[in-house]
């Protein structure tokens, strides 16, 4: 069974397909993922056995293999579900009725609080990104990061387009990928503490906004140069 094939489930959020649809997850599968996320976040993936997940979820090993098939499949589903949950919570915190500029600003304002709330997800993600000896696990983490970048790029792109950037999609994805790197580093240095994380991420919005303005000005200058 192959998990996390890149796909697009909606126009709003490109995401990776997991073994379990988050909207239709069985209670027992949810209990397994809850237990695994807590254990992976606290102990790490390698140090967490399937037996430990059985104990923490109060479910037999047969139930785990029925839903997921392997420990690596559990990790894939944990990353997928936690990533979707994080952005759903961020959407709820930001609201749906804001114009692109204030919406982007509020995304950056609210992200540190929700990163701290979802600290286990980010701990697991960072640790899995370092699994260069296990290509499957590394692919799971990279797909989660790519899905996050695509989601954030969709928030940045309308602002870049309104500013007059010639290729807002490309710039927005680049800014989203840079944001991922910045935010993950900030989370590690802040030890996932909300207050410290807010302080470390405070400059990020202005950096992104300034990059958009600079790109728009460069594009305008290049266009003017061709006209003259």
């Amino acid at each position: 069974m192959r998990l996390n094939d890149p796909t697009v489930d909606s126009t709003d959020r490109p995401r990776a397909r997991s073994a379990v649809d988050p909207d239709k997850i069985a209670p027992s599968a949810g209990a397994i993922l809850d237990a695994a996320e807590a254990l992976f976040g606290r102990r790490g993936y390698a140090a967490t056995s399937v037996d430990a997940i059985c104990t923490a979820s109060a479910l037999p090993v047969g139930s785990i293999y029925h839903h997921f098939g392997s420990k690596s499949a559990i990790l894939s589903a944990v990353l997928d579900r936690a990533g979707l949950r994080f952005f759903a919570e961020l959407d709820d915190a930001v609201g749906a009725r804001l114009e692109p500029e204030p919406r982007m600003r509020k995304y950056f304002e609210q992200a540190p609080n929700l990163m701290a709330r979802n600290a286990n997800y980010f701990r697991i993600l960072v640790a899995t990104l370092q699994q260069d000896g296990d290509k499957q696990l590394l692919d799971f983490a990279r797909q989660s990061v790519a899905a996050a970048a695509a989601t954030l790029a969709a928030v940045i792109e309308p602002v870049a387009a309104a500013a007059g950037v010639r290729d807002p999609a490309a710039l927005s994805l680049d800014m989203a990928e840079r944001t991922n790197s910045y935010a993950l580093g900030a989370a590690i240095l802040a030890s996932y503490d909300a207050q410290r994380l807010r302080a470390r991420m405070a400059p990020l919005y202005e950096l992104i906004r300034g990059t958009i303005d600079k790109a728009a000005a460069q594009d305008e200058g290049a266009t003017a140069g061709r006209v003259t």
Side-chain angles (χ1 to χ4, degrees):
M1 176 171 55
R2 186 181 177 193
L3 305 177
N4 277 24
D5 291 327
T7 188
V8 176
D9 292 333
S10 74
T11 56
D12 294 325
R13 183 176 294 116
R15 48 174 284 201
R17 190 191 330 174
S18 74
V20 178
D21 186 331
D23 297 325
K24 300 177 181 178
I25 188 169
S28 55
I32 292 165
L33 293 180
D34 289 343
E37 184 175 341
L39 289 169
F40 292 162
R42 185 170 69 251
R43 299 181 183 179
Y45 174 81
T48 300
S49 66
V50 172
D51 284 344
I53 297 172
C54 289
T55 300
S57 64
L59 289 166
V61 68
S63 181
I64 288 178
Y65 285 112
H66 168 73
H67 286 297
F68 300 102
S70 67
K71 192 175 85 166
S72 64
I74 297 172
L75 175 64
S76 172
V78 163
L79 288 172
D80 190 22
R81 186 186 70 153
L84 292 171
R85 182 186 66 226
F86 171 74
F87 279 105
E89 291 177 358
L90 189 51
D91 283 340
D92 288 343
V94 169
R97 298 185 178 182
L98 294 177
E99 293 297 314
E101 179 78 35
R103 184 168 186 257
M104 185 176 81
R105 181 185 290 275
K106 197 165 183 182
Y107 244 76
F108 282 93
E109 289 174 352
Q110 292 296 323
N113 299 326
L114 292 169
M115 289 178 70
R117 184 186 300 175
N118 290 275
N120 276 337
Y121 164 54
F122 290 99
R123 289 190 184 102
I124 296 165
L125 182 59
V126 168
T128 309
L129 285 168
Q130 299 175 65
Q131 298 297 316
D132 54 356
D134 190 321
K135 186 178 185 301
Q136 184 186 45
L137 299 186
L138 186 58
D139 284 347
F140 291 159
R142 285 174 173 169
Q143 288 164 13
S144 187
V145 170
T151 301
L152 183 56
V155 175
I156 298 172
E157 185 174 349
V159 179
V165 174
R166 184 183 304 137
D167 190 348
L171 178 69
S172 298
L173 184 57
D174 180 56
M175 291 298 98
E177 290 170 345
R178 291 171 185 266
T179 295
N180 277 347
S181 299
Y182 188 113
L184 290 176
I188 294 168
L189 292 172
S191 300
Y192 302 94
D193 176 80
Q195 184 175 353
R196 293 200 295 267
L197 193 48
R198 285 195 299 271
R200 288 190 175 276
M201 291 182 64
L204 187 51
Y205 170 82
E206 295 299 338
L207 289 172
I208 298 299
R209 194 64 183 85
T211 300
I212 290 172
D213 290 340
K214 182 178 179 180
Q218 289 174 339
D219 288 347
E220 183 180 3
T223 300
R226 286 196 299 271
V227 170
T228 58

